[in-house]
Amino acid sequence: MNRFTTAGLGLALVATPLVATAGTATANDATVQRAAAPAYSVSAAINRTTAIAKEDVVKIRGQVSPKAAGDKVVLQQRMENKKTWSVSGTAKIKANGRFLLKDEPSTAGTRFYRVLKPAAGTVKKGVSSELKLVVYAWEKLTHRTSGPESNMSFTTATIGTEPFSSSLVTEAAGANSSIEYTLGKKCLKLRATYALTDSSATGGTGSVALAKDGKNVFSYALVLGQVVENNEVDISDAFRISYSTTSTKAPDSYVAIGSPEVLCTK
């Protein structure tokens, strides 16, 4: 009896690890199958690296493999230093697997795009590499914090009977004026209108000059009725710009820098 019982126990001990091994093999096979499931491959390219807000349209072209004709791809974007992605648009995949997505940036700043092809059937989702875009926007120069300033007022200037809001105007006739703005090398262009205001006396004269990091960009001599209208200059890589003006006293003259704007990113 003792010898027969011992043999039975031995059989039980042999059978147990065989069951465990079969279960482990099944779990491993499922893991391998999931890991080996195909995923969409998404390639994408952007048509520009810089854009102007509310003016330029960004186009992103690419291809999906497997082709997945008729399915949708999703354009996502995130702002620099942010982790959250938001949806910017969708597009259908063509029969050849290609797609075209568009976006119209409305604010300044650096952002990143990527294209997502959602999972479908047994094919897992695919995501393209990130595409960088720097967006610039026009903004009022007078809405920025100014640096050193002398004899300059922030007001609406009247030039040839037309009002120019957010302007810089000589405060006291006959005295030199100046103002500086730090741009931090984040701006590309500056545009403004230059003239003597309608409140200047006949025969009065003046001048206006712009410097970029201490180097003269332009200077204009001004007389009543003469207008340098919507003048645009390159200020790329400028850390600081400065305006300086002169005007006569008796006859009184007042120099206006009408509605100056800068094209900048953040």
Side-chain angles (χ1 to χ4, degrees):
M1 290 294 292
N2 288 341
R3 193 172 305 152
F4 181 80
T5 302
T6 302
L9 288 174
L11 288 172
L13 289 172
V14 172
T16 301
L18 287 175
V19 173
T21 301
T24 303
T26 301
N28 288 340
D29 288 345
T31 301
V32 170
Q33 288 175 359
R34 285 195 299 270
Y40 286 107
S41 173
V42 184
S43 62
I46 194 167
N47 68 327
R48 61 199 314 143
T49 56
T50 63
I52 299 177
K54 300 180 181 180
E55 294 185 19
D56 293 329
V57 176
V58 176
K59 297 179 181 180
I60 297 173
R61 291 181 169 87
Q63 189 162 12
V64 173
S65 179
K67 294 177 181 179
D71 285 3
K72 287 186 177 181
V73 286
V74 181
L75 179 63
Q76 299 178 318
Q77 72 168 282
R78 66 174 178 84
M79 298 302 293
E80 189 174 35
N81 299 322
K82 299 291 184 180
K83 294 182 179 180
T84 304
W85 291 90
S86 60
V87 175
S88 297
T90 62
K92 278 189 176 182
I93 302 170
K94 298 178 181 178
N96 59 3
R98 301 195 66 81
F99 59 82
L100 170 62
L101 290 152
K102 298 180 181 180
D103 189 48
E104 298 182 41
S106 60
T107 58
T110 299
R111 73 277 321 274
F112 295 88
Y113 293 100
R114 71 180 185 183
V115 179
L116 166 71
K117 171 58 181 79
T122 60
V123 185
K124 296 189 294 184
K125 71 178 182 180
V127 182
S128 73
S129 58
E130 295 183 11
L131 305 169
K132 182 179 179 180
L133 180 73
V134 181
V135 179
Y136 294 83
W138 287 103
E139 60 178 281
K140 301 292 186 183
L141 180 63
T142 55
H143 290 181
R144 301 176 71 97
T145 302
S146 64
E149 173 268 324
S150 175
N151 193 38
M152 196 75 79
S153 62
F154 302 80
T155 186
T156 295
T158 304
I159 302 171
T161 73
E162 293 186 17
F164 287 76
S165 62
S166 304
S167 296
L168 298 166
V169 179
T170 299
E171 198 164 62
N176 294 343
S177 305
S178 64
I179 192 167
E180 300 183 14
Y181 286 91
T182 299
L183 304 180
K185 298 185 177 184
K186 293 183 178 181
C187 303
L188 296 179
K189 296 179 180 180
L190 165 68
R191 66 186 181 193
T193 294
Y194 307 101
L196 297 185
T197 68
D198 290 2
S199 59
S200 299
T202 300
T205 62
S207 68
V208 59
L210 175 72
K212 181 176 78 171
D213 293 326
K215 294 182 179 180
N216 188 61
V217 176
F218 66 72
S219 61
Y220 297 117
L222 302 171
V223 297
L224 191 62
Q226 172 196 2
V227 180
V228 181
E229 190 173 2
N230 203 29
N231 177 262
E232 188 173 294
V233 294
D234 181 2
I235 55 168
S236 54
D237 294 324
F239 181 77
R240 174 169 281 199
I241 59 170
S242 58
Y243 275 116
S244 59
T245 71
T246 64
S247 61
T248 55
K249 175 70 176 174
D252 290 352
S253 63
Y254 303 89
V255 175
I257 302 168
S259 304
E261 295 181 300
V262 283
L263 183 62
C264 305
T265 190
K266 293 182 179 179

